[in-house]
C-alpha cells in the first residue's frame, strides 16, 4: 500500500532507519531516500550509482527518470 509524503514524514521523522533492513546502512541518507521511493511510489529503488542519495540526482537512474522530473536548481 502506497503512502503519502505526509504519512511518510509522520512515520519516520525523528527516527534513524536502514535499508533494506534496519541492520544495514542505518542512519544513511540513501536509506531514507530508498524507503521513500519504495513506500510512496511502490518501486524497488535502483542503485544510485554512487552509494549516496546524491547519485539519484546526478545519475538519475531508471526507473526514476520515468517517474520524476529532474529540475535544475536556479536562482
Amino acid at each position: 500500500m502506497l503512502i503519502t509524503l505526509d504519512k511518510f514524514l509522520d512515520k519516520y521523522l525523528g527516527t534513524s532507519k536502514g535499508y533494506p533492513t534496519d541492520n544495514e546502512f542505518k542512519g544513511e541518507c540513501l536509506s531514507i531516500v530508498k524507503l521513500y521511493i519504495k513506500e510512496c511510489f511502490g518501486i524497488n529503488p535502483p542503485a544510485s550509482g554512487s552509494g549516496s542519495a546524491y547519485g539519484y540526482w546526478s545519475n538519475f537512474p531508471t526507473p526514476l527518470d520515468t517517474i520524476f522530473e529532474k529540475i535544475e536548481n536556479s536562482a
Side-chain angles (χ1 to χ4, degrees):
M1 179 176 154
L2 299 180
I3 63 174
T4 65
L5 174 59
D6 287 336
K7 291 200 183 292
F8 183 83
L9 293 173
D10 288 342
K11 184 176 181 179
Y12 293 115
L13 196 61
T15 67
S16 182
K17 300 300 292 177
Y19 188 90
T21 71
D22 270 346
N23 296 324
E24 301 172 77
F25 309 105
K26 191 168 188 168
E28 298 291 329
C29 62
L30 187 54
S31 292
I32 199 70
V33 172
K34 286 185 173 194
L35 281 169
Y36 173 71
I37 291 167
K38 179 82 171 175
E39 293 189 19
C40 294
F41 294 92
I43 60 172
N44 289 322
S48 70
S50 69
S52 69
Y54 176 73
Y56 283 143
W57 167 258
S58 61
N59 300 320
F60 212 43
T62 300
L64 300 184
D65 58 348
T66 66
I67 296 169
F68 300 104
E69 179 182 356
K70 188 174 184 178
I71 300 173
E72 297 290 333
N73 189 17
S74 63

